[in-house]
Amino acid sequence: MEKPNAFLQLLGLARRARQLETGEDFVLKAIRNNSIQLVIIASDTGQTSAKKLRDKASYYHIPLIDRYTKSDLSQATGMSRTAYGVKDPGFARKLSTLVNE
């Protein structure tokens, strides 16, 4: 049996705490409003969507994580989305450290 991934578990917790923006359009809007601290996109997101999100996050200096597939992210959050934005700075900081371990 596979060991549970701490990053995905914390992402699910952030969703239950209502600290996530989900969906490409909502994440782009939140980036423009500076209301999110971290952008997470699925590694298998379409090229156009991924470029749009990467460019916007880069322009507004928001860190981006693209290590997990849509299936992994969907299973962790219970939502079938390719883009997530983390609102809470504490969740964003911890998720960033977990992805680099």
Side-chain angles (χ1 to χ4, degrees), residues 24-38:
E24 182 183 339
D25 293 334
F26 291 112
V27 171
L28 286 170
K29 185 177 178 182
I31 291 171
R32 280 188 232 110
N33 294 337
N34 277 328
S35 63
I36 58 174
Q37 310 296 315
L38 175 69

Side-chain angles (χ1 to χ4, degrees), residues 12-26:
L13 182 63
R15 183 203 172 278
R16 289 187 298 279
R18 298 177 185 219
Q19 294 301 313
L20 289 183
E21 285 290 342
T22 60
E24 182 183 339
D25 293 334
F26 291 112

Side-chain angles (χ1 to χ4, degrees), residues 19-70:
Q19 294 301 313
L20 289 183
E21 285 290 342
T22 60
E24 182 183 339
D25 293 334
F26 291 112
V27 171
L28 286 170
K29 185 177 178 182
I31 291 171
R32 280 188 232 110
N33 294 337
N34 277 328
S35 63
I36 58 174
Q37 310 296 315
L38 175 69
V39 175
I40 302 167
I41 61 172
S43 58
D44 51 354
T45 301
Q47 287 182 346
T48 306
S49 297
K51 181 177 179 352
K52 194 184 310 181
L53 287 160
R54 280 189 207 336
D55 291 349
K56 192 66 74 173
S58 173
Y59 181 80
Y60 285 93
H61 306 290
I62 297 174
L64 184 132
I65 295 171
D66 63 352
R67 181 180 248 177
Y68 299 95
T69 64
K70 180 179 179 182

Side-chain angles (χ1 to χ4, degrees), residues 7 10 65 91-101:
F7 176 87
L10 188 61
I65 295 171
F91 276 121
R93 193 170 37 254
K94 186 63 176 172
L95 286 166
S96 293
T97 59
L98 286 172
V99 81
N100 293 323
E101 288 182 351

